[in-house]
């Protein structure tokens, strides 16, 4: 029986590279591309089938920043599928990013310069806005839209005899200091992207607590710093090209600079081959690349130490 995998944000960047790598690993897969732009999705579908004619590739339109779109896509998916083996919750945005010049120069002359530049900790601020649903755009796109999607698809995911897996694209930039339950949409802050990724880390833990006994498991990954539409929003392509010699040198000291979408999917592909019930739900799995360009998986341990929100509170907000 074909494994069925749903990927949000599958038409470009990490999502597209993931589609290609998964079909190389198993060309009998049924991939469902969940995308906002259907013309791009159809073009990707045609290209994937041309390279892997034995695979099955379908598309569904979904905009995770629009709840009506999420509910409509969920309804359609429940009509078309009986189960999902894996859902990659990959779509995400970092709107209107601004480089914090003061933090940049402070980081350049700090002892933590490698850490600062490999995680962009404190370097980026974003201008968020309110969506038609009355929610902060970054929170709705990166967290809430995906959460509603998986809750709507519960009947296709919860099978204790044959576990299903959720894999969230998180970030090394996820920081507890940017997240607060009193302002969980980060409407009052300037780093909604970091806050939203920390929220997905928390949500993944809460989902495991609530759904593991029903056969649904959740994990978080970070693809590292890969050059995609998201990073090109921070700096234009020609600036990244100018910075590349320094970045390649820095890669000998920091493993986060995966640089290409292909490299960035290393942890996402590795997780696909693991038994979800055997994975540690409190660990973030990180794509990493050595200075010589070798890809490998590393982890961020003791995730719960950074998640000191009480269990009762987490249950209430799930």
């Amino acid at each position: 029986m074909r494994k069925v995998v749903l990927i949000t944000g599958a038409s470009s960047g990490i999502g597209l590279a993931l589609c290609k790598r998964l079909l190389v690993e198993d060309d009998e897969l049924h991939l469902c591309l969940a995308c906002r732009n259907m013309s791009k999705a159809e073009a990707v579908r045609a290209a994937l089938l041309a390279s892997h004619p034995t695979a099955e590739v379908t598309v569904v339109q979904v905009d995770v920043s629009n709840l009506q779109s999420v509910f409509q896509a969920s309804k359609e998916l429940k009509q078309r599928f009986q189960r999902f083996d894996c859902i990659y919750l990959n779509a995400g945005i970092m709107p209107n990013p601004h480089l914090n010049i003061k933090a940049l120069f402070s980081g350049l002359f700090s002892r933590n310069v490698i850490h600062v530049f490999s995680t962009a900790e404190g370097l980026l601020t974003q201008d968020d806005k309110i969506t038609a649903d009355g929610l902060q755009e970054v929170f709705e796109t990166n967290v809430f839209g995906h959460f509603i999607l998986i809750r709507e698809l519960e009947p296709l995911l919860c099978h204790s005899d044959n576990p299903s897996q959720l894999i969230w694209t998180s970030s090394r930039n996820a920081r507890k200091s940017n997240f607060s339950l009193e302002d969980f949409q980060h409407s009052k802050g300037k780093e909604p992207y970091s806050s939203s990724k920390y929220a997905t880390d928390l949500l993944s833990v809460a989902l495991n607590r609530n759904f593991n006994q029903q056969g649904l498991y959740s994990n978080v990954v970070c693809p590292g710093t890969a050059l995609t539409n998201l990073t090109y929003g921070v700096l234009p392509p020609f600036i990244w090209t100018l910075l590349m010699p320094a970045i390649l040198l820095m890669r000998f000291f920091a493993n986060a600079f995966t640089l290409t979408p292909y490299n960035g999917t290393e942890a996402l592909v590795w997780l696909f081959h693991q038994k979800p019930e055997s994975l540690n739900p409190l660990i973030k799995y990180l794509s990493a690349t050595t200075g010589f360009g070798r890809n490998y998986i590393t982890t961020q341990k003791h995730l719960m130490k950074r998640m000191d929100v009480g269990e009762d509170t987490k249950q209430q907000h799930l």
Side-chain angles (χ1 to χ4, degrees):
M1 182 181 294
R2 291 179 186 265
K3 281 191 173 184
V4 183
V5 178
L6 177 74
I7 303 174
T8 67
S11 62
S12 64
I14 296 296
L16 176 57
L18 177 62
C19 291
K20 294 176 179 178
R21 287 195 65 174
L22 287 178
L23 289 179
V24 169
E25 301 276 332
D26 182 357
D27 60 7
E28 295 292 326
L29 280 180
H30 184 158
L31 280 187
C32 182
L33 316 180
C35 303
R36 181 173 51 184
N37 186 317
M38 287 301 282
S39 61
K40 286 185 178 180
E42 290 291 354
V44 168
R45 175 180 178 272
L48 292 173
L49 287 174
S51 302
H52 304 277
T54 60
E56 189 168 352
V57 183
T58 55
V59 299
V60 64
Q61 186 170 27
V62 61
D63 179 354
V64 287
S65 68
N66 183 297
L67 293 182
Q68 184 177 355
S69 173
V70 173
F71 285 121
Q72 178 59 40
S74 302
K75 180 180 178 180
E76 183 179 338
L77 290 167
K78 284 186 281 191
Q79 292 171 346
R80 288 165 50 183
F81 295 95
Q82 294 184 335
R83 68 167 281 118
F84 284 110
D85 295 283
C86 182
I87 296 183
Y88 283 94
L89 304 156
N90 169 71
I93 59 169
M94 184 195 290
N96 306 310
H98 304 289
L99 194 60
N100 186 327
I101 301 300
K102 182 179 179 180
L104 174 65
F105 281 100
S106 176
L108 277 172
F109 299 103
S110 76
R111 281 187 259 177
N112 297 321
V113 59
I114 298 297
H115 172 78
V116 169
F117 282 93
S118 62
T119 64
E121 185 174 303
L123 295 183
L124 299 174
T125 61
Q126 300 92 42
D127 294 329
D128 208 353
K129 65 181 181 180
I130 303 294
T131 68
D133 297 312
L135 300 170
Q136 295 294 133
E137 185 182 30
V138 174
F139 172 79
E140 183 168 11
T141 305
N142 295 359
V143 187
F144 196 61
H146 282 125
F147 175 69
I148 295 299
L149 180 67
I150 58 180
R151 291 306 300 259
E152 286 293 304
L153 296 179
E154 266 183 55
L156 282 64
L157 291 165
C158 295
H159 303 279
S160 56
D161 58 327
N162 192 5
S164 294
Q165 187 175 25
L166 305 173
I167 300 175
W168 297 81
T169 300
S170 182
S171 173
R172 289 169 171 84
N173 186 250
R175 297 173 63 200
K176 178 183 178 297
S177 60
N178 285 323
F179 179 82
S180 167
L181 282 175
E182 285 69 38
D183 183 25
F184 58 88
Q185 294 191 56
H186 203 73
S187 60
K188 300 174 183 177
K190 289 294 185 181
E191 297 186 53
Y193 181 80
S194 173
S195 175
S196 72
K197 293 305 180 180
Y198 190 81
T200 63
D201 293 355
L202 286 172
L203 183 55
S204 180
V205 173
L207 287 167
N208 281 311
R209 293 181 184 275
N210 283 268
F211 291 102
N212 279 179
Q213 290 186 341
Q214 300 175 50
L216 179 60
Y217 295 83
S218 180
N219 295 99
V220 291
V221 301
C222 173
T225 302
L227 299 183
T228 65
N229 291 335
L230 191 145
T231 48
Y232 288 143
V234 178
L235 294 171
F238 80 93
I239 296 294
W240 285 106
T241 301
L242 292 175
L243 290 174
M244 194 55 61
I247 292 174
L248 290 174
L249 177 62
M250 198 176 295
R251 199 155 68 170
F252 283 94
F253 306 96
N255 58 24
F257 294 102
T258 51
L259 296 184
T260 69
Y262 178 95
N263 294 347
T265 62
E266 190 73 13
L268 290 85
V269 173
W270 180 83
L271 281 173
F272 178 71
H273 293 294
Q274 310 308 307
K275 292 182 178 180
E277 63 271 28
S278 70
L279 295 168
N280 187 336
L282 306 181
I283 280 181
K284 181 181 292 184
Y285 295 89
L286 314 175
S287 296
T289 305
T290 69
F292 295 103
R294 182 180 66 84
N295 297 325
Y296 66 103
I297 313 300
T298 186
T299 59
Q300 190 176 77
K301 297 182 179 179
H302 307 301
L303 198 54
M304 186 54 73
K305 287 184 178 179
R306 301 192 305 117
M307 296 180 176
D308 54 0
V309 181
E311 289 186 22
D312 293 339
T313 307
K314 276 190 269 186
Q315 296 286 345
Q316 291 170 11
H317 285 267
L318 184 64

